[in-house]
Coordinates of all heavy atoms in Angstrom, one line a residue:
G178 N 11.5 -14.9 -18.4 CA 10.6 -13.8 -18.3 C 11.2 -12.6 -17.5 O 12.3 -12.6 -17.1
T179 N 10.3 -11.6 -17.2 CA 10.7 -10.5 -16.4 C 9.7 -10.2 -15.3 O 8.5 -10.5 -15.5 CB 10.9 -9.2 -17.2 OG1 9.8 -9.0 -17.9 CG2 12.1 -9.3 -18.1
V180 N 10.2 -9.6 -14.2 CA 9.3 -9.0 -13.2 C 9.8 -7.6 -13.0 O 10.9 -7.3 -12.7 CB 9.3 -9.8 -11.9 CG1 8.4 -9.1 -10.9 CG2 9.0 -11.2 -12.0
I181 N 8.9 -6.6 -13.3 CA 9.2 -5.2 -13.2 C 8.5 -4.6 -12.0 O 7.3 -4.8 -11.9 CB 8.9 -4.5 -14.5 CG1 9.7 -5.0 -15.6 CG2 9.2 -3.0 -14.4 CD1 9.4 -4.5 -17.0
V182 N 9.2 -3.8 -11.2 CA 8.5 -3.1 -10.1 C 8.6 -1.6 -10.5 O 9.6 -1.1 -10.7 CB 9.2 -3.3 -8.7 CG1 8.3 -2.7 -7.6 CG2 9.3 -4.8 -8.5
D183 N 7.4 -1.0 -10.5 CA 7.3 0.4 -10.9 C 6.6 1.2 -9.8 O 6.0 0.7 -8.9 CB 6.4 0.4 -12.2 CG 6.9 1.4 -13.1 OD1 7.6 2.4 -12.7 OD2 6.6 1.3 -14.3
Y184 N 6.7 2.5 -10.0 CA 6.2 3.4 -8.9 C 5.6 4.7 -9.5 O 6.1 5.2 -10.5 CB 7.4 3.8 -8.0 CG 7.2 4.8 -7.0 CD1 6.9 4.5 -5.7 CD2 7.3 6.2 -7.3 CE1 6.7 5.4 -4.7 CE2 7.2 7.1 -6.3 CZ 6.8 6.8 -5.0 OH 6.7 7.7 -4.1
E185 N 4.6 5.2 -8.9 CA 4.0 6.5 -9.3 C 3.5 7.2 -8.0 O 3.1 6.5 -7.1 CB 2.7 6.3 -10.1 CG 2.9 6.2 -11.6 CD 1.6 5.7 -12.3 OE1 0.5 6.0 -11.8 OE2 1.8 4.9 -13.2
A186 N 3.5 8.5 -8.0 CA 2.9 9.2 -6.9 C 2.2 10.4 -7.3 O 2.5 11.1 -8.3 CB 4.0 9.5 -5.9
T187 N 1.1 10.7 -6.6 CA 0.4 12.0 -6.8 C 0.4 12.6 -5.4 O 1.0 12.0 -4.4 CB -1.1 11.7 -7.1 OG1 -1.8 11.2 -6.0 CG2 -1.3 10.8 -8.3
P188 N -0.1 13.9 -5.2 CA 0.0 14.5 -3.9 C -0.7 13.7 -2.8 O -0.4 13.8 -1.6 CB -0.6 15.8 -4.1 CG -0.5 16.1 -5.5 CD -0.5 14.8 -6.2
H189 N -1.7 12.8 -3.2 CA -2.5 12.2 -2.2 C -2.2 10.7 -2.1 O -2.6 10.1 -1.1 CB -4.0 12.4 -2.5 CG -4.4 13.8 -2.6 ND1 -4.4 14.6 -1.5 CD2 -4.7 14.6 -3.7 CE1 -4.7 15.8 -1.9 NE2 -4.9 15.8 -3.2
E190 N -1.6 10.1 -3.1 CA -1.4 8.6 -2.9 C -0.1 8.2 -3.7 O 0.3 8.9 -4.6 CB -2.6 7.8 -3.4 CG -3.1 8.2 -4.8 CD -4.4 7.5 -5.1 OE1 -5.2 7.3 -4.2 OE2 -4.6 7.2 -6.3
W191 N 0.4 7.1 -3.3 CA 1.5 6.5 -4.1 C 1.2 5.1 -4.4 O 0.5 4.4 -3.7 CB 2.9 6.6 -3.3 CG 3.0 5.9 -2.0 CD1 2.5 6.3 -0.8 CD2 3.7 4.6 -1.8 NE1 2.9 5.4 0.2 CE2 3.6 4.3 -0.4 CE3 4.3 3.7 -2.6 CZ2 4.1 3.2 0.1 CZ3 4.9 2.6 -2.1 CH2 4.8 2.3 -0.7
T192 N 1.7 4.7 -5.6 CA 1.4 3.4 -6.2 C 2.6 2.6 -6.5 O 3.6 3.1 -7.0 CB 0.5 3.6 -7.5 OG1 -0.6 4.4 -7.1 CG2 0.1 2.3 -8.1
M193 N 2.5 1.3 -6.3 CA 3.6 0.4 -6.7 C 3.0 -0.7 -7.6 O 1.9 -1.2 -7.3 CB 4.1 -0.3 -5.5 CG 5.6 -0.6 -5.5 SD 6.1 -1.2 -3.8 CE 4.9 -2.3 -3.3
K194 N 3.6 -0.9 -8.8 CA 3.1 -1.9 -9.7 C 4.1 -3.0 -9.8 O 5.3 -2.8 -10.0 CB 2.9 -1.3 -11.1 CG 1.6 -0.5 -11.2 CD 1.4 0.0 -12.6 CE 0.4 1.1 -12.7 NZ -1.0 0.7 -12.7
I195 N 3.6 -4.3 -9.7 CA 4.5 -5.4 -9.9 C 4.0 -6.2 -11.1 O 2.9 -6.7 -11.1 CB 4.5 -6.3 -8.7 CG1 5.2 -5.6 -7.5 CG2 5.3 -7.6 -8.9 CD1 4.4 -5.0 -6.5
K196 N 4.8 -6.1 -12.2 CA 4.3 -6.6 -13.5 C 5.1 -7.8 -13.9 O 6.4 -7.7 -13.9 CB 4.5 -5.4 -14.5 CG 4.0 -5.7 -15.8 CD 4.1 -4.4 -16.7 CE 3.6 -4.8 -18.1 NZ 3.9 -3.9 -19.1
D197 N 4.5 -8.9 -14.3 CA 5.2 -10.0 -14.8 C 4.8 -10.4 -16.2 O 3.8 -10.0 -16.7 CB 5.1 -11.2 -13.8 CG 3.7 -11.8 -13.7 OD1 3.2 -12.2 -14.8 OD2 3.1 -11.8 -12.6
T198 N 5.6 -11.3 -16.8 CA 5.4 -11.8 -18.1 C 5.0 -13.3 -18.1 O 5.4 -14.1 -18.9 CB 6.6 -11.7 -19.0 OG1 7.7 -12.3 -18.3 CG2 7.0 -10.2 -19.2
G199 N 4.2 -13.6 -17.1 CA 3.9 -15.0 -16.8 C 2.6 -15.5 -17.4 O 2.1 -15.0 -18.4
I200 N 2.1 -16.6 -16.8 CA 1.0 -17.3 -17.4 C -0.4 -16.6 -17.3 O -1.3 -16.9 -18.0 CB 0.8 -18.7 -16.6 CG1 0.5 -18.4 -15.1 CG2 2.0 -19.6 -16.8 CD1 0.1 -19.7 -14.3
G201 N -0.4 -15.5 -16.5 CA -1.7 -14.7 -16.5 C -2.8 -15.4 -15.7 O -2.7 -16.6 -15.3
I202 N -3.9 -14.7 -15.5 CA -5.0 -15.2 -14.7 C -6.3 -14.9 -15.4 O -6.5 -13.7 -15.8 CB -5.0 -14.5 -13.3 CG1 -3.7 -14.6 -12.6 CG2 -6.1 -15.0 -12.4 CD1 -3.3 -13.5 -11.7
A203 N -7.1 -15.9 -15.7 CA -8.3 -15.7 -16.4 C -9.2 -14.7 -15.7 O -9.2 -14.6 -14.4 CB -9.1 -17.0 -16.5
Q204 N -10.0 -14.0 -16.4 CA -10.9 -12.9 -15.9 C -11.7 -13.4 -14.7 O -11.8 -12.8 -13.6 CB -11.8 -12.4 -17.0 CG -12.6 -11.2 -16.7 CD -11.8 -9.9 -16.8 OE1 -10.9 -9.8 -17.6 NE2 -12.0 -9.0 -15.9
N205 N -12.3 -14.6 -14.8 CA -13.2 -15.1 -13.8 C -12.5 -15.6 -12.5 O -13.1 -15.9 -11.5 CB -14.1 -16.2 -14.4 CG -13.3 -17.4 -14.9 OD1 -12.2 -17.2 -15.3 ND2 -13.9 -18.6 -14.8
E206 N -11.2 -15.7 -12.6 CA -10.4 -16.1 -11.4 C -9.8 -14.9 -10.7 O -9.4 -15.0 -9.5 CB -9.2 -16.9 -11.8 CG -9.5 -18.1 -12.7 CD -9.8 -19.4 -11.9 OE1 -10.0 -19.3 -10.7 OE2 -9.8 -20.5 -12.5
Q207 N -9.9 -13.7 -11.3 CA -9.1 -12.6 -10.8 C -9.5 -12.1 -9.4 O -8.7 -11.7 -8.6 CB -9.1 -11.4 -11.8 CG -8.2 -11.8 -13.0 CD -8.2 -10.7 -14.1 OE1 -8.7 -9.6 -13.9 NE2 -7.7 -11.1 -15.2
A208 N -10.8 -12.2 -9.1 CA -11.3 -11.8 -7.8 C -11.0 -12.9 -6.8 O -10.7 -12.6 -5.6 CB -12.8 -11.5 -7.8
R209 N -11.1 -14.1 -7.2 CA -11.0 -15.3 -6.3 C -9.5 -15.5 -5.7 O -9.4 -16.0 -4.7 CB -11.5 -16.5 -7.0 CG -12.9 -16.5 -7.4 CD -13.6 -17.8 -7.3 NE -13.6 -18.3 -5.9 CZ -13.9 -19.5 -5.6 NH1 -14.3 -20.4 -6.6 NH2 -14.0 -19.9 -4.4
I210 N -8.5 -15.1 -6.5 CA -7.2 -15.3 -6.1 C -6.8 -14.7 -4.8 O -5.8 -15.1 -4.1 CB -6.1 -14.9 -7.2 CG1 -6.3 -13.5 -7.5 CG2 -6.2 -15.8 -8.4 CD1 -5.1 -13.0 -8.4
F211 N -7.6 -13.7 -4.3 CA -7.3 -13.0 -3.0 C -8.0 -13.8 -1.9 O -7.7 -13.5 -0.7 CB -7.8 -11.6 -3.0 CG -7.0 -10.7 -4.0 CD1 -7.5 -10.5 -5.3 CD2 -5.8 -10.2 -3.7 CE1 -6.8 -9.7 -6.2 CE2 -5.0 -9.5 -4.6 CZ -5.6 -9.2 -5.9
E212 N -8.8 -14.8 -2.2 CA -9.4 -15.6 -1.1 C -8.4 -16.5 -0.5 O -7.5 -17.0 -1.1 CB -10.6 -16.4 -1.7 CG -11.8 -15.7 -2.1 CD -12.8 -16.5 -2.9 OE1 -12.7 -17.8 -2.8 OE2 -13.6 -16.0 -3.6
R213 N -8.7 -16.8 0.8 CA -7.8 -17.6 1.5 C -7.8 -19.1 1.0 O -8.9 -19.6 0.8 CB -8.1 -17.7 3.0 CG -7.9 -16.3 3.6 CD -8.6 -16.2 4.9 NE -8.3 -14.9 5.5 CZ -8.6 -14.6 6.8 NH1 -9.2 -15.5 7.6 NH2 -8.3 -13.4 7.3
F214 N -6.7 -19.6 0.8 CA -6.4 -21.0 0.3 C -6.8 -21.2 -1.2 O -6.7 -22.3 -1.7 CB -7.2 -22.0 1.1 CG -6.7 -22.1 2.5 CD1 -7.5 -21.7 3.6 CD2 -5.4 -22.6 2.8 CE1 -7.0 -21.8 4.9 CE2 -5.0 -22.6 4.1 CZ -5.8 -22.2 5.2
Y215 N -7.3 -20.1 -1.9 CA -7.7 -20.3 -3.3 C -6.4 -20.4 -4.2 O -5.5 -19.5 -4.1 CB -8.6 -19.2 -3.7 CG -9.2 -19.5 -5.1 CD1 -10.2 -20.4 -5.2 CD2 -8.6 -19.0 -6.3 CE1 -10.7 -20.7 -6.5 CE2 -9.1 -19.3 -7.5 CZ -10.2 -20.1 -7.6 OH -10.7 -20.5 -8.8
R216 N -6.3 -21.4 -5.0 CA -5.3 -21.5 -6.0 C -6.0 -21.8 -7.3 O -6.9 -22.6 -7.4 CB -4.3 -22.6 -5.7 CG -3.7 -22.5 -4.3 CD -2.5 -23.4 -4.1 NE -1.4 -22.9 -4.9 CZ -0.4 -23.7 -5.3 NH1 -0.4 -25.0 -5.1 NH2 0.6 -23.1 -6.0
V217 N -5.5 -21.1 -8.4 CA -6.1 -21.4 -9.7 C -5.9 -22.8 -10.1 O -4.8 -23.3 -10.0 CB -5.5 -20.4 -10.8 CG1 -6.1 -20.8 -12.1 CG2 -5.8 -19.0 -10.4
D218 N -7.0 -23.5 -10.5 CA -6.9 -24.9 -10.6 C -6.5 -25.3 -12.1 O -7.2 -25.9 -12.8 CB -8.3 -25.6 -10.3 CG -8.1 -27.1 -10.2 OD1 -7.0 -27.5 -10.1 OD2 -9.1 -27.8 -10.3
S219 N -5.3 -24.9 -12.4 CA -4.7 -25.4 -13.6 C -3.8 -26.5 -13.2 O -2.8 -26.3 -12.5 CB -3.9 -24.3 -14.3 OG -2.8 -24.8 -14.9
S220 N -4.2 -27.7 -13.5 CA -3.5 -28.9 -12.9 C -2.0 -28.8 -13.2 O -1.2 -29.2 -12.4 CB -4.1 -30.2 -13.5 OG -4.3 -30.0 -14.9
R221 N -1.7 -28.1 -14.3 CA -0.3 -28.0 -14.7 C 0.5 -27.2 -13.6 O 1.4 -27.6 -13.0 CB -0.2 -27.4 -16.0 CG 1.1 -27.6 -16.7 CD 1.1 -27.1 -18.2 NE 0.6 -25.7 -18.3 CZ 1.4 -24.7 -18.2 NH1 2.7 -24.9 -18.1 NH2 0.9 -23.4 -18.3
T222 N -0.1 -26.0 -13.4 CA 0.7 -25.1 -12.4 C 0.6 -25.6 -11.0 O 1.6 -25.5 -10.3 CB 0.1 -23.6 -12.5 OG1 -1.3 -23.7 -12.4 CG2 0.5 -22.9 -13.7
K223 N -0.6 -26.2 -10.6 CA -0.7 -26.6 -9.2 C 0.3 -27.7 -8.9 O 0.9 -27.7 -7.8 CB -2.1 -27.1 -9.0 CG -2.8 -26.3 -7.9 CD -4.1 -27.0 -7.6 CE -4.9 -26.1 -6.6 NZ -6.2 -26.6 -6.3
Q224 N 0.6 -28.5 -9.9 CA 1.6 -29.6 -9.6 C 3.0 -29.0 -9.6 O 3.9 -29.4 -8.8 CB 1.5 -30.6 -10.7 CG 0.5 -31.7 -10.3 CD 0.1 -32.5 -11.5 OE1 0.8 -32.6 -12.5 NE2 -1.1 -33.1 -11.5
V225 N 3.3 -28.1 -10.5 CA 4.6 -27.6 -10.7 C 5.0 -26.5 -9.6 O 6.1 -26.5 -9.2 CB 4.8 -27.0 -12.1 CG1 6.2 -26.5 -12.3 CG2 4.5 -28.0 -13.2

Side-chain angles (χ1 to χ4, degrees):
T179 52
V180 180
I181 297 176
V182 187
D183 215 340
Y184 172 95
E185 267 167 36
T187 69
H189 303 292
E190 53 187 32
W191 64 279
T192 299
M193 216 171 40
K194 281 183 193 280
I195 290 98
K196 184 174 180 195
D197 68 58
T198 52
I200 58 172
I202 306 150
Q204 190 76 35
N205 61 331
E206 307 269 14
Q207 287 176 14
R209 300 213 63 192
I210 54 171
F211 295 98
E212 288 173 18
R213 294 163 176 192
F214 296 112
Y215 189 80
R216 305 194 73 204
V217 174
D218 192 16
S219 146
S220 43
R221 198 170 55 89
T222 46
K223 242 187 181 175
Q224 273 163 21
V225 181

